[in-house]
């Protein structure tokens, strides 16, 4: 990277780290945000979702779904989501389930904590899904919980926003850069604050409308056309000796 003419980063967060840790001058880096395929990630109707996930579609009539997408690495901070889930279930008496897309929480050692919190039966591990299946899950869900303490980009935020799903994100690393005004934010490990934001995103009709509208405006900033334009501009500048 130090020998490169230019360093392309997928977020301003990463660009600042390149500058800080490698002491690469800021004029040699640029930001090219990833895009998102809006033909895939879009709000699906109930019938379409029910054809893919009939049991989930039926359960959605009586329960509220919080979805989390991704791995269960420590920095993903899933313990905070689980504690918030328990608070919503036991203290707020909300009929809530956590839909886990990706690695199973049970397989990754979260079983004892889930038992301790009394939410084992409220976590539905869906495993690895195709993009179309993820869009269906987001369309059935009521809020995204993405409490990760560190991301280089954070694609689940855009996937959810494109499917008109309100997002609640940790106020950490690049999360605000990517989520923009289309999300609510909480202190990283503050599960009580996360629970309050999730409850608002799920139950407050006005808040939901605002988050959905702001999310759609936000996600429109992230296109593959813009990404490619930035890359080709950089290539042209380097090839011209600039």
């Amino acid at each position: 990277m130090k020998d490169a003419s230019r360093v392309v980063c997928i977020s301003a967060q990463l660009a600042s780290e390149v500058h800080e840790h490698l002491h690469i001058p800021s004029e040699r880096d640029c930001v090219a945000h990833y895009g998102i395929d809006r033909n895939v990630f879009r709000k699906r109707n109930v019938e379409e979702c029910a054809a893919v996930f009939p049991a989930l579609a039926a359960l959605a009539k009586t329960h509220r779904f919080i979805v989390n997408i991704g791995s269960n690495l420590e920095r993903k901070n899933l313990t905070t989501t689980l504690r918030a889930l328990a608070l919503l279930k036991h203290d707020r008496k909300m009929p809530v389930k956590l839909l886990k897309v990706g690695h199973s929480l049970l397989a990754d050692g979260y079983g004892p904590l889930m038992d301790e919190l009394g939410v084992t039966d409220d976590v539905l591990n869906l495993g690895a899904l195709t993009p179309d299946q993820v869009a269906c899950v987001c369309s059935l869900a009521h809020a995204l919980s993405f409490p990760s303490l560190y991301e280089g980009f954070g694609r689940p935020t855009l996937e959810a926003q494109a499917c008109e799903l309100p997002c609640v994100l940790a106020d950490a690393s690049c999360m605000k850069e990517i989520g923009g005004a289309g999300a609510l934010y909480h202190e990283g490990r503050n599960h009580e604050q996360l629970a309050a934001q999730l409850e608002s995103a799920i139950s407050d009709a006005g808040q939901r409308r605002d988050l959905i509208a702001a999310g759609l405006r936000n996600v429109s900033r992230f296109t593959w056309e813009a990404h490619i334009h930035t890359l080709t501009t950089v290539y042209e500048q380097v090839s011209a000796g600039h």
Side-chain angles (χ1 to χ4, degrees), residues 37 39-42 44 53 69 101 128-138 155 159 163:
D37 187 347
N39 291 319
V40 174
F41 291 100
R42 55 180 172 78
R44 308 298 177 94
F53 295 107
I69 303 169
V101 177
L129 302 180
T130 67
D132 280 301
Q133 289 173 325
V134 171
C136 283
V137 169
C138 287
R155 183 182 300 278
E159 294 175 350
C163 296

Side-chain angles (χ1 to χ4, degrees), residues 68-79 100-110 125:
N68 177 270
I69 303 169
S71 72
N72 302 322
L73 297 171
E74 185 176 355
R75 66 180 171 86
K76 297 291 188 175
N77 194 24
L78 271 301
T79 56
K100 183 65 185 69
V101 177
H103 295 202
S104 165
L105 286 166
L106 284 174
D108 283 345
Y110 286 83
N125 290 289

Side-chain angles (χ1 to χ4, degrees), residues 65-69 71-72 76-89 96-100 105 110 113-114 117 119 122-123 143-148 168-170 186-192 194-195 198:
F65 292 156
I66 298 167
V67 65
N68 177 270
I69 303 169
S71 72
N72 302 322
K76 297 291 188 175
N77 194 24
L78 271 301
T79 56
T80 299
T81 291
L82 289 173
R83 293 186 186 282
L85 176 70
L87 188 59
L88 290 172
K89 176 188 177 182
V96 65
K97 302 285 186 183
L98 174 63
L99 308 182
K100 183 65 185 69
L105 286 166
Y110 286 83
L113 176 61
M114 290 159 58
L117 295 172
V119 297
D122 303 296
V123 177
L144 173 82
S145 175
F146 193 20
S148 181
V168 182
L169 316 176
H186 63 92
E187 296 172 5
R189 297 192 186 278
N190 189 330
H191 70 277
E192 294 179 346
L194 170 55
L198 286 170

Side-chain angles (χ1 to χ4, degrees), residues 160-215:
Q161 288 178 339
C163 296
E164 302 182 24
L165 179 64
C167 297
V168 182
L169 316 176
D171 185 1
S173 70
C174 67
M175 303 295 266
K176 277 189 173 178
E177 176 187 351
I178 306 304
L184 299 177
Y185 298 88
H186 63 92
E187 296 172 5
R189 297 192 186 278
N190 189 330
H191 70 277
E192 294 179 346
Q193 192 177 64
L194 170 55
Q197 298 287 52
L198 286 170
E199 184 175 28
S200 179
I202 292 171
S203 302
D204 185 327
Q207 180 79 274
R208 286 186 63 79
R209 284 194 301 271
D210 290 346
L211 286 172
I212 289 169

